Amino acid sequence: MKILLTGATGYIGQRLLPMLAAAGHDVVCLVRDPRRFSLPDTLPEALHARVQVARGDLLRPATLADLPTDFDAAYYLVHSMSGHSENFFNLEQQSAHNFVQYLNTTSARQVIYLSGIANDRGLSVHLRSRRAVESVLGKATTAQLTVLRASIIIGSGSASFEIIRDLVEKLPVMVTPNWLNSRCQPIGIRDIMFYLTSVLDKLECFGKAFDVGGPDVLTYREMLLGLAAERGYKRWIVTVPVLTPRLSSWWLYLVTSTTFSLAQSLVESLKNDTVCDPAKSIDAVVPHECMNYRAALALAFQRIEQNEVVSSWSDAVSSGTMRQNYMDAIRIPKNGMFFDRQLLPFRRPVAEVLDNIWRIGGDRGWYKTDWLWRLRGLLDKAVGGVGLRRGRRSPTHLRAGDPLDFWRVLVADKASQRLLLYAEMKLPGEAWLQFRIVDQEDGSHAVEQLAAYRPRGLAGRLYWYAVLPFHGIIFKGMVKNLVSYVEEPAQLERSSKVTP
């Protein structure tokens, strides 16, 4: 089949694409900015020819006019947990409406949507929005809608898993709000992928909506204690009624790697029970035995320890504060800029230094005064930024679009020996950090480390001069240690267990 895949750069889309291509389908990936799109590492080179990229923005109907129309089915994986307003609700409906208008001009006979379980009363704005999107997609005249409604998804890199993991690993004692007593039916990412591929072109699923979930119905408290047991931790949880939704959001934001907008959305949604309705079960149509919660956790940690995290919630632009068209910053401006350039020749093998560059951030750190980087991350969190806790998707591999602590990777080109990062922290301006290996006239090599900053107004200039004294400490020592760093065997063992 020929399949249109929206949300191809998201957590689910990055995992679904290789599976569709491996099954023999040709896949057209609809993305806002093709420069952000890169083929997943899990897609064999022999299958690259099965993937096409089409540029279009579902909030701008004019950009959809020239898209292909000769596909058989579509996956609609466009939704966000970062919005927290009625405007967000309206935008999601508008996006779905524009998609349907486009879909009606195509030969598609099925559209598949991953939604949320919404069987409770008094739904949060996000669960109401999921239901509203279902209604809009159901109005397509040429394609039949198949909806899969899921609760918490457990998998390496998923937002839910990472938040639960952060809470358990960081807090021996938790004082928590009452929503920890809400019930949900978690499902493993592997089972979600099974259902997404199994309902494709299955006539019995056309025009139907199904609740999908694992075998366990748990409170969020039980989920936290379950992860603690899986990791061999002793944890104590006290629930109190005095934590308002806003206080709960701040608590979640400050303790975990999530953004504040995502924390707000989660807290609001967690007041609802998200348990499957047996009358909406998919078992009769697609029989499948899902993993239980503990098995899904074990698989997630196994993937992390083997450095096989395919995708992460933080891959999405909405996981930070950066503009959607951040790839416009792929060239560092020259005018109105402040620069700090360090050039250090070296004699070791280029591959070793390049490996050090590619491992920067995350558990490896920033090669100099890591406590200052952590302090900057805490300050960023305090003003609503992303902080350092997002870490990195992989301890060894980087690709364009990857989050890297409070940076975003713009260029990761080992062939040209260049890594370019763009700041996603809160700043009165824009900042870049570039590493290159350059040839010297005597035939040797040198690392060029370039910190570039474009201030915004007087505040931006004052910020640069305020941090300038620290640059002399950080950047000179950073490039020196980056060149000389040698990983010990014990460190090699630890690096295989880095947080994605």
Side-chain angles (χ1 to χ4, degrees):
M1 298 174 64
K2 187 172 183 178
I3 298 169
L4 180 74
L5 178 63
T6 68
T9 59
Y11 177 71
I12 299 293
Q14 289 189 66
R15 294 170 181 250
L16 184 58
L17 173 56
M19 297 179 71
L20 294 175
H25 304 301
D26 294 318
V27 186
V28 179
C29 298
L30 178 62
V31 297
R32 277 185 298 243
D33 189 344
R35 296 172 299 177
R36 271 196 66 221
F37 179 80
S38 58
L39 293 173
D41 299 336
T42 51
L43 182 68
E45 190 172 346
L47 298 178
H48 287 190
R50 290 199 174 277
V51 181
Q52 296 176 310
V53 181
R55 182 172 191 163
D57 185 342
L58 292 176
L59 289 174
R60 299 169 59 200
T63 67
L64 311 179
D66 297 325
L67 293 179
T69 59
D70 59 337
F71 52 89
D72 306 298
Y75 283 90
Y76 191 79
L77 303 177
V78 179
H79 48 64
S80 170
M81 285 297 287
S82 64
H84 194 77
S85 66
E86 287 302 318
N87 185 49
F88 150 81
F89 183 92
N90 294 331
L91 288 175
E92 286 219 317
Q93 311 328 303
Q94 186 61 50
S95 175
H97 173 76
N98 293 339
F99 180 74
V100 166
Q101 295 294 104
Y102 159 61
L103 196 65
N104 287 340
T105 69
T106 72
S107 56
R109 56 181 179 267
Q110 183 187 25
V111 57
I112 300 169
Y113 176 53
L114 180 60
S115 186
I117 292 177
N119 300 321
D120 204 0
R121 296 181 179 180
L123 295 176
S124 69
V125 65
H126 281 83
L127 289 177
R128 284 192 290 115
S129 184
R130 299 293 181 267
R131 275 301 180 90
V133 168
E134 291 180 26
S135 298
V136 175
L137 294 176
K139 295 176 182 177
T141 57
T142 58
Q144 293 288 308
L145 175 63
T146 301
V147 181
L148 297 175
R149 298 171 180 152
S151 179
I152 295 275
I153 296 176
I154 301 299
S156 57
S158 79
S160 305
F161 169 78
E162 292 298 340
I163 288 171
I164 294 169
R165 180 186 177 197
D166 273 349
L167 290 172
V168 169
E169 293 186 349
K170 292 180 171 66
L171 300 175
V173 179
M174 288 175 252
V175 179
T176 64
N178 281 333
W179 51 254
L180 234 65
N181 295 318
S182 296
R183 298 182 308 144
C184 65
Q185 197 161 344
I187 184 170
I189 183 62
R190 179 176 291 185
D191 296 316
I192 283 290
M193 304 314 295
F194 171 83
Y195 285 127
L196 282 170
T197 53
S198 296
V199 299
L200 178 63
D201 205 33
K202 194 173 186 65
L203 292 178
E204 298 92 330
C205 297
F206 283 24
K208 301 288 182 61
F210 304 98
D211 287 357
V212 294
D216 300 319
V217 176
L218 304 170
T219 65
Y220 293 103
R221 177 192 181 95
E222 290 170 332
M223 289 181 69
L224 289 167
L225 293 176
L227 190 143
E230 178 67 27
R231 302 299 282 170
Y233 300 143
K234 289 285 188 182
R235 293 296 183 260
W236 292 266
I237 300 174
V238 179
T239 56
V240 295
V242 295
L243 285 175
T244 66
R246 186 163 184 83
L247 285 174
S248 298
S249 300
W250 275 107
W251 174 77
L252 201 62
Y253 165 68
L254 292 172
V255 172
T256 72
S257 58
T258 186
T259 62
F260 182 70
S261 59
L262 180 54
Q264 272 189 302
S265 303
L266 287 171
V267 166
E268 184 186 345
S269 296
L270 293 177
K271 70 181 182 182
N272 294 120
D273 287 343
T274 52
V275 178
C276 296
D277 182 347
K280 302 171 185 174
S281 173
I282 198 173
D283 291 343
V285 182
V286 183
H288 176 64
E289 185 175 347
C290 292
M291 291 183 291
N292 62 30
Y293 175 60
R294 290 288 294 273
L297 288 176
L299 182 60
F301 280 110
Q302 178 184 329
R303 289 286 181 263
I304 292 168
E305 290 168 2
Q306 295 174 350
N307 298 330
E308 294 178 351
V309 180
V310 178
S311 62
S312 169
W313 69 274
S314 55
D315 293 340
V317 176
S318 59
S319 71
T321 59
M322 203 159 38
R323 62 194 190 202
Q324 295 285 356
N325 61 335
Y326 69 86
M327 290 300 285
D328 290 345
I330 200 167
R331 290 181 178 85
I332 300 175
K334 295 182 179 179
N335 299 321
M337 301 286 293
F338 293 113
F339 295 99
D340 183 298
R341 182 175 182 265
Q342 305 289 332
L343 188 69
L344 183 65
F346 63 89
R347 295 289 181 182
R348 359 175 9 183
V350 170
E352 293 181 4
V353 177
L354 200 61
D355 184 64
N356 282 346
I357 292 173
W358 247 247
R359 287 173 177 261
I360 199 167
D363 275 12
R364 170 68 69 88
W366 291 85
Y367 295 105
K368 181 65 177 179
T369 55
D370 274 353
W371 67 272
L372 279 175
W373 288 92
R374 288 192 292 271
L375 177 61
R376 182 62 182 88
L378 290 173
L379 293 174
D380 193 51
K381 272 276 191 182
V383 296
V386 295
L388 285 179
R389 289 189 185 139
R390 291 184 313 176
R392 40 183 297 161
R393 179 185 58 87
S394 163
T396 56
H397 301 291
L398 290 173
R399 62 190 182 196
D402 271 359
L404 179 53
D405 291 337
F406 45 47
W407 302 88
R408 184 75 63 163
V409 179
L410 295 185
V411 177
D413 189 346
K414 273 198 169 181
S416 64
Q417 302 173 338
R418 179 187 179 218
L419 176 65
L420 177 62
L421 310 178
Y422 183 76
E424 201 168 5
M425 67 192 86
K426 293 278 191 179
L427 285 172
E430 295 179 276
W432 292 257
L433 185 59
Q434 178 177 266
F435 301 92
R436 289 196 309 156
I437 294 181
V438 296
D439 297 330
Q440 301 285 84
E441 290 184 0
D442 61 359
S444 64
H445 304 281
V447 170
E448 180 194 62
Q449 175 185 285
L450 181 67
Y453 177 69
R454 178 161 62 184
R456 186 168 56 245
L458 178 60
R461 285 168 171 76
L462 291 175
Y463 173 83
W464 174 263
Y465 290 118
V467 299
L468 198 57
F470 299 100
H471 288 180
I473 302 171
I474 296 172
F475 288 133
K476 288 183 180 179
M478 184 175 165
V479 68
K480 181 179 178 181
N481 292 339
L482 189 149
V483 166
S484 62
Y485 186 90
V486 177
E487 194 166 33
E488 300 295 334
Q491 292 173 314
L492 284 168
E493 174 66 21
R494 286 198 302 273
S495 72
S496 69
K497 300 179 181 181
V498 69
T499 301

